[in-house]
Amino acid sequence: MMCRLLKVSVSAYYDWVGRPASARQVDNERLLERIREVHADSQGAIGAPRMHEDLSDGGETGSQNRTARLMTTQS
C-alpha cells in the first residue's frame, strides 16, 4: 500500500531500508550529540553563533548554518 502511494517499487523500498547510514548522517548524529552536551552545559542560553564558536574551539568542523540546522532538529 505505501509503495503504491509513494509510487516506488517494493524492491526499491527494501533496498532503501537496508542501506547503511551515510557518512554525513553519521557525522551529523555525532555533532548533534555534541551540540546537546554544550546546550545542556549552558542551560540552553546560547544560540547558533555562539554554539558554532564553542564547537569550533573544541575542534569541530562545520558551518554556522549546519550548526543552526542541527540545533533546530535537537528537540
Side-chain angles (χ1 to χ4, degrees):
M1 172 81 176
M2 185 171 65
C3 291
R4 254 187 285 143
L5 181 67
L6 297 174
K7 297 182 182 176
V8 297
S9 68
V10 174
S11 61
Y13 169 76
Y14 282 108
D15 180 51
W16 173 76
V17 167
R19 284 186 200 146
S22 68
R24 178 66 164 208
Q25 185 177 4
V26 170
D27 194 45
N28 280 345
E29 290 170 6
R30 181 194 57 75
L31 187 56
L32 183 56
E33 185 59 35
R34 185 70 184 112
I35 287 171
R36 286 183 177 132
E37 291 170 4
V38 173
H39 193 258
D41 289 346
S42 71
Q43 289 92 31
I46 62 174
R50 178 69 187 272
M51 178 68 73
H52 178 256
E53 181 182 322
D54 288 355
L55 292 172
S56 294
D57 290 346
E60 295 290 346
T61 59
S63 69
Q64 182 175 328
N65 288 337
R66 182 179 178 195
T67 301
R69 179 178 49 81
L70 291 173
M71 286 178 72
T72 61
T73 63
Q74 162 174 286
S75 310

